Amino acid sequence: MTASIYDVAKRAGVSISTVSRILNNSANVSDKKVQAVKEAMEYYQYEPNQFGRGLVKQRSNMIGVYTPFHSGSVFESSYTLELLKGIERVLTRHNYSMVLISESEEYSNRVKGSPRFMEYVRQRRIDGLLLSGLNGKSMDEEALKQILDEEYPVVYIGKKFHKKGINVYAQYESYMHQMIETLYADGHRKIVLYFYTTHENYLAGIVKKAEEELEELELIPIALSHITDIRPDLIADFRKYVIGGGCTAICSPGIETTQIILSVCGELRLSVPETVSILSVEHKSGEGRRLFPQISAFFVPAKDMGSGAAELLLDMIEDCPLEETSREYETKFFDRESIRQL
Amino acid sequence: MTASIYDVAKRAGVSISTVSRILNNSANVSDKKVQAVKEAMEYYQYEPNQFGRGLVKQRSNMIGVYTPFHSGSVFESSYTLELLKGIERVLTRHNYSMVLISESEEYSNRVKGSPRFMEYVRQRRIDGLLLSGLNGKSMDEEALKQILDEEYPVVYIGKKFHKKGINVYAQYESYMHQMIETLYADGHRKIVLYFYTTHENYLAGIVKKAEEELEELELIPIALSHITDIRPDLIADFRKYVIGGGCTAICSPGIETTQIILSVCGELRLSVPETVSILSVEHKSGEGRRLFPQISAFFVPAKDMGSGAAELLLDMIEDCPLEETSREYETKFFDRESIRQL
DNA sequence: CTGTTAGCGCATTCAT
DNA sequence: ATGAATGCGCTAACAG
């Protein structure tokens, strides 16, 4: 058994309240006792038991990070990874730690009828929740609304969908539209638009707007799973649309997909940008520059978004009044000449 | 305030022990009371407060995962990511969750003179610890030895370095040697060997053995940081050793590095494998097949290693007797013709 | 089968 | 400035 506050108090010849006061800087204690207590703490390598402390404070200093199952393992895409890096950084600095909450593969959401993060919230394992990858279709949103209504500290990454709650986002529809416009302006008329299923509910709007505004445009939207191996599908797509279908440009929703696209192009002897133009989203600055050939991209500052979300969440937890209820991040375009002017 | 066991008991018209018994399946309770209690639990959406429970059981059902700072953010390399995926899978299945413990960038290890994971251990935040990326040079090993001596549940990923403790590993020295041998057998005599600093303490041995056994070999070991942008360095290396120095083959320690190598080759107009042969390590099966050109690789089953480590750890925690004190994972070679026979 | 009770480690209030 | 006492929510030992 590790030492408790009693052991420290006994060795230092003081009462446990004195030790507690020193631990929490909650009152003045005479220098002599401080010394004695510090000695005892080092002697035992004492650290306050978090169960005892938590029972009183109802605080764990842990933040839950949740991504629904349909968006794949958190560890899959460079987008979520950058988010995590940003989150990690802020939390570490504020002495919080990160608990990854994942839906188990087998039961998916159905174990208790509500998403996993609810357990953590109700059990008070976490002081707040960061969410990403909601797509409005699972039951996760129901649960989320419920805790938002209870004023539980939550920040979600994605578009606002409920009056309460703080969110952090980049204008997905807007930069997707810009991608299409950019290609259109260079003369491309038949474009394959890859997207992750996480964003499928935005898609109809994007397609509609693009086809309305850009008259001759023919858009071929194709969903990508985060879960299966997409390479064979891509090869089929390229055969059908690029080699056989007159399609001249591809939009990729992330660099990991772009890499596969490039290897597919290599295998099919399609040169970039001569035969096919490629435009990508990147979530880590400069990712597109590290490919060969370099790929033009819209940079979405995922790491900053993660940090921002974490900061807002910690502010909520520490009861700092928040001025903003929503924070938008700007994307930035990097032209690396992977688009051919037609 | 969320509901406590008292609220549930009151609403169900029973005592708290009855509720507790139902929660823990620890004794038979009459059907009627079970029904009443279940109704009350649903009514309140009751989940047992983990502080209360933990205070009695001294168990958090959380596992800490730690990687020292020098090996970069956990979220950087595909190796650690695969490890995490494997760990996540096993933990989720056993109703444990993962706490990421990271050293803060600013203070590095020095805050308390001991690595961050010690806090978590002593505060009883975690029931066990998974470690990866130790390199024998930081103070982390000291702390680790200490908790190993206390029989604290720990599994580390990497070579055994202390009589106590369980470890899981792939023979790093052995497959690195095989990589060199493979290239040597095909006639390569001057080889650049990239390695991550995490493994630098193994390097002297590898170089020595290779140069002893393979007479005409000239090995150029180059360390890669996980932290900075390595692309400019690689370009300089390739200019110096491949274009200017007669080097004909490159060993890459991981696919993320291999990708950069390929883009550097593209930029410098070096064709693979005609001008330069490339051999890589891959931590996710098939990674090398997704590049263009495809790259031959030694596959290190990082995900399985993560799962294995987590399983062993959970066994320790649940007091299952372990037969093994060390578990080795086999690597597998995939020939994808990225090596030219000289 | 069920209720009562002690105690887990700590912060905090109330005396002193 | 300090100690004694209370209670946070829960499990488990005990008594019935």
Side-chain angles (χ1 to χ4, degrees):
Chain A
M1 208 49 183
T2 60
S4 83
I5 197 172
Y6 283 93
D7 302 310
V8 173
K10 185 184 292 175
R11 183 177 166 91
V14 301
S15 75
I16 60 162
S17 358
T18 301
V19 177
S20 178
R21 280 190 265 264
I22 292 172
L23 279 173
N24 300 288
N25 275 320
S26 54
N28 282 334
V29 176
S30 71
D31 260 9
K32 215 175 68 183
K33 301 209 170 182
V34 170
Q35 291 315 316
V37 168
K38 290 211 162 153
E39 188 279 333
M41 297 206 296
E42 295 205 350
Y43 176 80
Y44 286 120
Q45 297 198 318
Y46 172 74
E47 291 276 349
N49 180 308
Q50 292 304 299
F51 297 119
R53 174 172 280 184
L55 200 50
V56 176
K57 299 219 192 200
Q58 294 296 337
R59 282 288 195 83
S60 65
N61 277 281
M62 308 236 221
I63 298 299
V65 177
Y66 179 86
T67 330
F69 185 65
H70 69 257
S71 59
S73 163
V74 235
F75 306 127
E76 228 37 92
S77 78
S78 87
Y79 172 56
T80 9
L81 286 176
E82 287 296 300
L83 282 179
L84 290 178
K85 271 192 250 175
I87 295 167
E88 178 195 37
R89 194 180 155 162
V90 171
L91 294 188
T92 305
R93 186 171 294 161
H94 288 76
N95 253 298
Y96 276 78
S97 50
M98 179 174 5
V99 185
L100 290 172
I101 304 176
S102 42
E103 221 61 70
S104 84
E105 306 167 39
E106 293 104 64
Y107 323 134
S108 184
N109 270 344
R110 285 134 220 260
V111 195
K112 296 202 154 199
S114 64
R116 252 298 173 71
F117 64 77
M118 286 301 276
E119 275 180 51
Y120 288 72
V121 169
R122 300 260 178 261
Q123 296 179 345
R124 314 215 69 114
R125 276 180 191 279
I126 53 178
D127 299 339
L129 185 61
L130 289 170
L131 290 165
S132 157
L134 303 180
N135 70 352
K137 291 174 74 179
S138 57
M139 64 201 329
D140 297 358
E141 277 79 359
E142 273 316 301
L144 176 53
K145 276 184 192 164
Q146 194 182 343
I147 57 178
L148 285 178
D149 283 332
E150 297 168 14
E151 311 283 336
Y152 187 84
V154 177
V155 174
Y156 59 94
I157 293 147
K159 228 171 58 171
K160 196 151 193 96
F161 75 101
H162 187 55
K163 56 184 187 300
K164 297 207 178 182
I166 311 278
N167 69 324
V168 149
Y169 65 103
Q171 293 273 24
Y172 180 77
E173 288 129 311
S174 155
Y175 64 77
M176 287 309 279
H177 187 72
Q178 284 178 56
M179 289 180 76
I180 300 166
E181 267 183 330
T182 305
L183 289 166
Y184 193 87
D186 275 346
H188 297 273
R189 292 298 174 263
K190 190 161 179 180
I191 301 171
V192 168
L193 180 69
Y194 284 111
F195 64 96
Y196 297 130
T197 45
T198 322
H199 292 128
E200 61 189 335
N201 50 331
Y202 298 138
L203 210 76
I206 292 169
V207 171
K208 186 163 169 249
K209 181 173 175 196
E211 294 189 334
E212 272 173 20
E213 294 187 9
L214 311 169
E215 284 208 354
E216 304 163 30
L217 181 67
E218 184 179 344
L219 215 47
I220 304 157
I222 302 179
L224 294 174
S225 154
H226 264 299
I227 299 164
T228 57
D229 180 12
I230 59 175
R231 199 167 187 276
D233 301 335
L234 292 194
I235 291 181
D237 295 342
F238 273 66
R239 287 225 167 87
K240 179 169 173 193
Y241 298 113
V242 180
I243 298 178
C247 165
T248 56
I250 312 286
C251 289
S252 164
I255 288 292
E256 62 274 16
T257 302
T258 309
Q259 273 165 354
I260 303 177
I261 289 176
L262 282 180
S263 97
V264 167
C265 287
E267 191 163 319
L268 299 179
R269 310 276 162 215
L270 302 169
S271 59
V272 179
E274 291 75 13
T275 311
V276 57
S277 295
I278 297 179
L279 187 49
S280 180
V281 177
E282 68 185 27
H283 296 102
K284 187 171 171 177
S285 175
E287 278 181 319
R289 195 168 39 75
R290 299 189 182 187
L291 299 177
F292 187 82
Q294 297 190 6
I295 300 296
S296 302
F298 281 82
F299 167 57
V300 174
K303 186 170 176 182
D304 292 342
M305 292 170 70
S307 304
E311 278 164 6
L312 289 171
L313 184 64
L314 293 182
D315 283 347
M316 284 183 79
I317 292 173
E318 321 260 331
D319 278 326
C320 298
L322 295 181
E323 301 109 41
E324 35 183 357
T325 158
S326 201
R327 186 186 285 183
E328 183 185 327
Y329 283 82
E330 300 265 319
T331 61
K332 197 169 161 188
F333 179 62
F334 290 95
D335 185 359
R336 304 190 183 105
E337 305 183 347
S338 62
I339 304 173
R340 179 172 162 228
Q341 288 202 324
L342 294 184
Chain B
M1 208 48 185
T2 60
S4 82
I5 198 171
Y6 282 94
D7 303 309
V8 173
K10 186 184 292 175
R11 184 177 166 91
V14 300
S15 75
I16 58 164
S17 11
T18 301
V19 178
S20 177
R21 281 190 266 264
I22 291 171
L23 280 174
N24 300 288
N25 276 319
S26 54
N28 282 335
V29 177
S30 72
D31 259 8
K32 215 174 71 183
K33 302 211 168 181
V34 170
Q35 291 314 316
V37 169
K38 290 209 162 154
E39 188 280 332
M41 298 206 296
E42 295 205 351
Y43 176 79
Y44 287 120
Q45 297 199 319
Y46 172 73
E47 291 275 349
N49 181 309
Q50 292 304 298
F51 297 120
R53 175 172 280 182
L55 200 50
V56 176
K57 298 214 182 200
Q58 294 296 337
R59 282 288 195 85
S60 65
N61 276 281
M62 308 235 223
I63 297 298
V65 177
Y66 179 87
T67 331
F69 185 66
H70 68 258
S71 59
S73 163
V74 235
F75 306 128
E76 235 27 277
S77 79
S78 87
Y79 171 57
T80 8
L81 286 175
E82 287 297 299
L83 282 179
L84 289 178
K85 269 191 252 174
I87 294 168
E88 177 195 37
R89 194 181 154 159
V90 170
L91 294 188
T92 304
R93 186 171 296 162
H94 287 76
N95 254 300
Y96 275 78
S97 50
M98 181 177 358
V99 185
L100 290 171
I101 304 174
S102 42
E103 221 60 70
S104 84
E105 306 167 39
E106 293 104 65
Y107 320 137
S108 183
N109 270 343
R110 284 135 220 260
V111 195
K112 296 204 155 197
S114 65
R116 254 294 173 71
F117 64 78
M118 285 302 276
E119 274 179 52
Y120 288 72
V121 169
R122 300 263 178 257
Q123 296 178 346
R124 314 217 67 117
R125 276 181 191 279
I126 54 177
D127 299 340
L129 185 61
L130 290 171
L131 291 164
S132 155
L134 304 179
N135 71 352
K137 290 174 76 179
S138 59
M139 64 202 328
D140 298 357
E141 278 78 0
E142 273 316 301
L144 176 53
K145 275 184 193 164
Q146 194 182 341
I147 56 178
L148 285 178
D149 283 332
E150 297 168 13
E151 310 282 335
Y152 187 84
V154 177
V155 174
Y156 58 95
I157 293 144
K159 228 169 59 170
K160 197 152 193 94
F161 75 101
H162 187 54
K163 57 185 187 300
K164 297 207 178 182
I166 311 280
N167 69 324
V168 149
Y169 65 102
Q171 292 273 23
Y172 179 77
E173 290 128 313
S174 154
Y175 65 76
M176 288 309 278
H177 187 73
Q178 284 178 55
M179 289 180 77
I180 299 166
E181 267 184 331
T182 304
L183 289 167
Y184 193 87
D186 275 346
H188 297 274
R189 292 296 175 263
K190 190 161 178 180
I191 301 171
V192 168
L193 180 69
Y194 284 111
F195 63 96
Y196 296 131
T197 45
T198 322
H199 292 129
E200 60 188 336
N201 49 331
Y202 299 139
L203 209 76
I206 291 168
V207 172
K208 186 164 169 249
K209 180 173 176 196
E211 294 189 335
E212 273 174 18
E213 294 188 8
L214 311 170
E215 284 208 354
E216 303 163 30
L217 181 68
E218 183 178 345
L219 216 47
I220 305 158
I222 302 179
L224 295 175
S225 155
H226 265 298
I227 299 163
T228 58
D229 179 12
I230 59 174
R231 198 168 187 278
D233 301 335
L234 292 193
I235 291 181
D237 294 342
F238 273 66
R239 287 226 167 86
K240 180 169 174 193
Y241 298 113
V242 179
I243 298 178
C247 165
T248 56
I250 312 286
C251 288
S252 164
I255 287 293
E256 61 274 16
T257 303
T258 310
Q259 272 164 354
I260 303 177
I261 289 175
L262 282 180
S263 97
V264 167
C265 287
E267 191 163 318
L268 298 179
R269 311 277 162 214
L270 301 170
S271 59
V272 179
E274 290 74 14
T275 311
V276 56
S277 295
I278 297 180
L279 187 49
S280 180
V281 177
E282 69 184 25
H283 296 102
K284 187 172 171 176
S285 176
E287 277 181 319
R289 195 168 37 77
R290 298 188 182 189
L291 300 177
F292 186 82
Q294 297 190 8
I295 300 296
S296 303
F298 281 82
F299 167 57
V300 174
K303 187 170 176 183
D304 292 342
M305 292 170 70
S307 303
E311 278 163 6
L312 289 171
L313 184 64
L314 293 182
D315 283 347
M316 284 184 79
I317 291 173
E318 321 260 332
D319 279 327
C320 298
L322 296 181
E323 300 109 41
E324 33 183 0
T325 159
S326 201
R327 185 187 285 184
E328 183 184 327
Y329 282 82
E330 300 264 320
T331 61
K332 196 168 161 189
F333 179 63
F334 290 95
D335 185 1
R336 304 189 183 105
E337 304 182 351
S338 62
I339 304 174
R340 180 172 161 229
Q341 288 203 324
L342 296 184

